[in-house]
Amino acid sequence: MQPGQLIALAFAGVLAIGTALLSLPIAVHGRSATFIEALFTATSALCVTGHIVVDTPVFWSPFGQVVILVLIQIGGFGVMSLATLLGLFVARRLGLRTRLTAVSETHTVAVGDVRRVLTGVALITVTIEFAVAVLLALRWWIGYGEEPARALWLGVFHSVSSFNNAGFALFSDNLMGFVADPWICLPICASVILGGLGFPVIMELRKKFRFPRAWTLNTITVVVGSIVLLVVGAVVLTILEWSNPATLGALDPAGRVLGGFTASVMPRTAGFNSIDVSQMHPASWLVTDILMFIGGGPAGTAGGLKITTFAVLFFIIVAELRGDTAVNMFGKRLPRSTHREALTVALLSVALVIGATLAIMLMTDYSLDRVVFEVISAFATVGLSTGITASLPPAAQAILIVLMFIGRLGPVALGSALALSTQKRQYELPKERPIIG
């Protein structure tokens, strides 16, 4: 079995267990969850998406919320990465197949780096989640008068959900009640950004933060791309929603700026919302669509096309327009295999989005902009919604389930397959060039 296949099978197994647990009477308040409700929620949590079809704090009991939190942590860290780490602690050694599987899921450079990378990833995850949980718990305890135990639970849940870019919240309106509170929004935004950078980037920045010239091409691309997307997204969304009374228009200038910045951070596949997405301007939906589709950094908790893939495509276009014989990016020359991988991932992603959008539009009467938003949000494992997810028919919700699963595993599995299946032909076919354009 290929490592990518093993990863998909492991995710499917954990998904089945999560669905079964959420189907138990103890997992809900009142009536039991239907199969589609349990499956959709388990998929959304395991694939760190945040899409919901029921109100999380109202529908799910404390037991159900704990199950969701565990699924988020497993999905963000990686099923096989977690299993490998546990095996490392128990057996003190890793077999070759285990190392290859972990390499596929973590995008480790070499098989020999697996032990170091997994322990580093675990340490980073615990450190960031603990720090953010403490800040949030103190704010909800001191600033909002929550009981200490309740404040701690809120802090832990939202810390894990934010760092893993999940977007699940324990408030019916998500974070809309804290849109102008920097002590809530900024720690969550920081956690989302760090999780979206990807573990390799975080580990490298931890060692070489003061030496940018020593950064790898992956780190430079992710850092520069993240800054550009955050700044451009914040400026554009703030301007578009500045006078909208249903979103930012009712806030003071400082609150509008904070709300616009948060709205730019969350499409990095986090899914939290501090403003009412359903009331945003259609142009803001389009901007959010673009940010969601690009996503965050590779080998982390973010989804989407990935910043690196988008950057490679951008520099391919630049090289073609300039007539360069090679594609150069930040002072480095890209191998042709990288061009093909980026084009393959991008075209398959576009095909999935178009196909799912067409299918859902045939099942419902919702407008194109709303359906595209939901589809991209599911595929990019974001979780933002214009408010139509819960009212979609079961067949359309099933399409979103498949998109979330593919969105979490597809780029990883495809990238691994492309990297591991490189073969040299013993011959070449005759060369001929068709007319382009």
Side-chain angles (χ1 to χ4, degrees):
M1 184 177 294
Q2 292 283 343
Q5 296 172 329
L6 186 59
I7 293 171
L9 183 61
F11 261 84
V14 175
L15 178 59
I17 296 173
T19 302
L21 291 175
L22 292 178
S23 299
L24 297 175
I26 193 177
V28 298
H29 292 299
R31 68 171 179 84
S32 298
T34 63
F35 174 74
I36 191 68
E37 290 171 342
L39 177 61
F40 193 100
T41 304
T43 305
S44 182
L46 184 63
C47 297
V48 291
T49 304
H51 260 318
I52 58 173
V53 290
V54 292
D55 192 344
T56 303
V58 174
F59 187 83
W60 301 109
S61 68
F63 175 82
Q65 294 172 14
V66 170
V67 171
I68 291 172
L69 186 66
V70 172
L71 290 174
I72 291 172
Q73 189 69 81
I74 293 175
F77 191 80
V79 175
M80 296 309 300
S81 296
L82 181 60
T84 303
L85 186 63
L86 293 176
L88 178 62
F89 286 151
V90 174
R92 301 292 181 180
R93 59 188 298 272
L94 298 174
L96 179 59
R97 177 174 293 275
T98 304
R99 290 175 182 268
L100 289 174
T101 306
V103 166
S104 299
E105 193 170 47
T106 61
H107 288 244
T108 311
V109 176
V111 175
D113 292 336
V114 172
R115 181 190 299 267
R116 177 182 59 83
V117 169
L118 289 181
T119 53
V121 167
L123 179 61
I124 290 170
T125 300
V126 172
T127 302
I128 295 177
E129 290 180 354
F130 177 79
V132 175
V134 170
L135 291 175
L136 294 177
L138 289 175
R139 180 57 178 169
W140 271 309
W141 176 36
I142 299 175
Y144 292 92
E146 296 282 358
E147 294 293 329
R150 168 70 175 170
L152 180 61
W153 171 237
L154 290 174
V156 170
F157 188 96
H158 291 86
S159 173
V160 173
S161 182
S162 60
F163 180 71
N164 290 284
N165 280 211
F168 278 90
L170 294 182
F171 300 95
S172 296
D173 59 356
N174 209 275
L175 298 180
M176 290 173 58
F178 312 102
V179 59
D181 188 345
W183 297 101
I184 296 294
C185 290
L186 291 183
I188 290 179
C189 285
S191 182
V192 168
I193 293 172
L194 290 174
L197 290 177
F199 293 117
V201 174
I202 298 176
M203 294 178 68
E204 184 168 342
L205 291 178
R206 187 179 61 173
K207 296 179 179 179
K208 304 177 182 178
F209 180 77
R210 294 182 296 176
F211 306 100
R213 293 185 178 181
W215 293 356
T216 61
L217 179 60
N218 180 74
T219 297
I220 296 174
T221 304
V222 172
V223 171
V224 173
S226 297
I227 293 174
V228 171
L229 291 175
L230 286 173
V231 172
V232 173
V235 171
V236 174
L237 289 175
T238 301
I239 292 174
L240 291 174
E241 298 297 323
W242 186 268
S243 301
N244 186 348
T247 55
L248 299 179
L251 304 173
D252 58 41
R256 297 182 192 185
V257 172
L258 178 60
F261 175 73
T262 305
S264 176
V265 172
M266 297 314 164
R268 295 182 55 79
T269 77
F272 289 105
N273 64 284
S274 62
I275 59 177
D276 191 349
V277 176
S278 65
Q279 300 299 317
M280 292 173 66
H281 194 278
S284 299
W285 286 346
L286 179 59
V287 173
T288 305
D289 286 339
I290 297 172
L291 294 175
M292 290 191 299
F293 190 72
I294 295 174
T301 59
L305 189 67
K306 300 296 190 300
I307 292 175
T308 47
T309 305
F310 179 78
V312 169
L313 296 174
F314 173 79
F315 281 100
I316 288 175
I317 295 174
V318 171
E320 189 64 28
L321 292 177
R322 295 175 56 180
D324 295 337
T325 57
V327 178
N328 302 314
M329 189 168 74
F330 297 114
K332 301 292 179 65
R333 180 170 58 87
L334 297 178
R336 294 190 179 276
S337 59
T338 302
H339 308 176
R340 296 195 300 268
E341 290 176 20
L343 289 171
T344 301
V345 172
L347 290 177
L348 286 178
S349 300
V350 171
L352 282 170
V353 169
I354 293 176
T357 300
L358 177 60
I360 294 178
M361 289 193 68
L362 292 175
M363 300 177 188
T364 66
D365 296 326
Y366 291 113
S367 60
L368 174 62
D369 51 1
R370 289 182 180 271
V371 174
V372 169
F373 193 99
E374 302 297 315
V375 167
I376 294 179
S377 181
F379 170 74
T381 67
V382 179
L384 292 174
S385 174
T386 59
I388 68 173
T389 301
S391 58
L392 291 174
Q397 292 178 356
I399 292 176
L400 295 184
I401 290 174
V402 174
L403 282 175
M404 289 188 288
F405 195 83
I406 294 177
R408 183 69 181 101
L409 297 180
V412 176
L414 178 60
S416 301
L418 291 173
L420 295 175
S421 62
T422 302
Q423 298 179 356
K424 290 186 178 181
R425 288 181 177 269
Q426 301 302 318
Y427 62 92
E428 290 187 0
L429 297 174
K431 182 183 295 185
E432 185 175 350
R433 178 175 179 176
I435 299 174
I436 302 297

